[in-house]
Amino acid sequence: MIDSIFETHLQVTNLDRSIKFYTKLGLTLALHKPERRSAFFYAGERRDLLALKEVPRGHKLQPRHFAFGVQLDQLLKAPDWLIERGIYPLPGFGKDEAPPEPFVHAWMPAASVYFNDHDGNELEFMAWLDDEPQNLNYVPYLSEWNKIKAKK
């Protein structure tokens, strides 16, 4: 029955600033409703929808996490692509600094790069890998993953 996630919503504290940020990521502004303090973006050819809703001043923001699907060749360029736009990849999974390359979620397997928007919503670029899932107790960099699968 379910084919995709058609639409998802994020809370933001400054709609205008967030519109600029998500446009910088390459999303297409589909509808801006200033009177409702909301905006809707299309992502990709299927026009998946990302909705932004500005929370009223004084209300607590509830940051969220989700991943944008990308092709592997795009993901390999993502850290530099983000930095060129003033957006910085996040460290994670026990690493002390931002990754020089994507991480791999071995149980899927899929590779990803994490980053935040201005409101602390944790975003991710993620690409499926054409490999068999592995049960690892850590999250390797893509280069480590390639060495692991080469040994098999």
Side-chain angles (χ1 to χ4, degrees), residues 6-23 27-43 47-55 66 68 117 119 121:
F6 193 88
E7 176 180 359
T8 193
H9 288 241
L10 289 179
Q11 295 179 339
V12 298
T13 56
N14 183 313
L15 184 63
D16 296 327
R17 177 180 67 182
S18 295
I19 287 172
K20 290 176 186 170
F21 178 87
Y22 286 92
T23 300
L27 299 180
T28 303
L29 182 61
L31 178 65
H32 180 202
K33 298 289 251 177
E35 70 282 2
R36 290 179 43 200
R37 302 308 298 155
S38 60
F40 295 81
F41 289 87
Y42 289 139
R47 297 183 306 166
D48 299 325
L49 283 167
L50 171 63
L52 303 179
K53 177 70 174 163
E54 185 178 279
V55 296
F66 73 93
F68 293 104
D117 71 4
D119 292 303
N121 289 300

Side-chain angles (χ1 to χ4, degrees), residues 17-141:
R17 177 180 67 182
S18 295
I19 287 172
K20 290 176 186 170
F21 178 87
Y22 286 92
T23 300
K24 195 172 9 176
L25 288 179
L27 299 180
T28 303
L29 182 61
L31 178 65
H32 180 202
K33 298 289 251 177
E35 70 282 2
R36 290 179 43 200
R37 302 308 298 155
S38 60
F40 295 81
F41 289 87
Y42 289 139
E45 291 179 16
R46 291 187 339 191
R47 297 183 306 166
D48 299 325
L49 283 167
L50 171 63
L52 303 179
K53 177 70 174 163
E54 185 178 279
V55 296
R57 290 199 192 283
H59 283 75
K60 183 174 169 75
L61 180 88
Q62 298 175 343
R64 300 287 189 234
H65 165 74
F66 73 93
F68 293 104
V70 300
Q71 297 300 312
L72 184 58
D73 62 330
Q74 295 168 319
L75 186 69
L76 296 173
K77 300 173 190 170
D80 291 336
W81 187 88
L82 287 166
I83 291 168
E84 288 170 7
R85 286 155 179 77
I87 304 166
Y88 296 92
L90 295 173
F93 307 106
K95 314 284 193 219
D96 292 332
E97 53 191 58
E101 60 179 297
F103 294 109
V104 173
H105 301 283
W107 65 272
M108 294 179 173
S112 62
V113 172
Y114 290 83
F115 57 99
N116 284 339
D117 71 4
H118 297 288
D119 292 303
N121 289 300
E122 186 181 63
L123 310 175
E124 181 179 7
F125 287 149
M126 182 175 264
W128 288 109
L129 299 174
D130 291 328
D131 301 317
E132 290 298 316
Q134 300 288 324
N135 186 14
L136 301 178
N137 292 326
Y138 67 101
V139 180
Y141 286 121

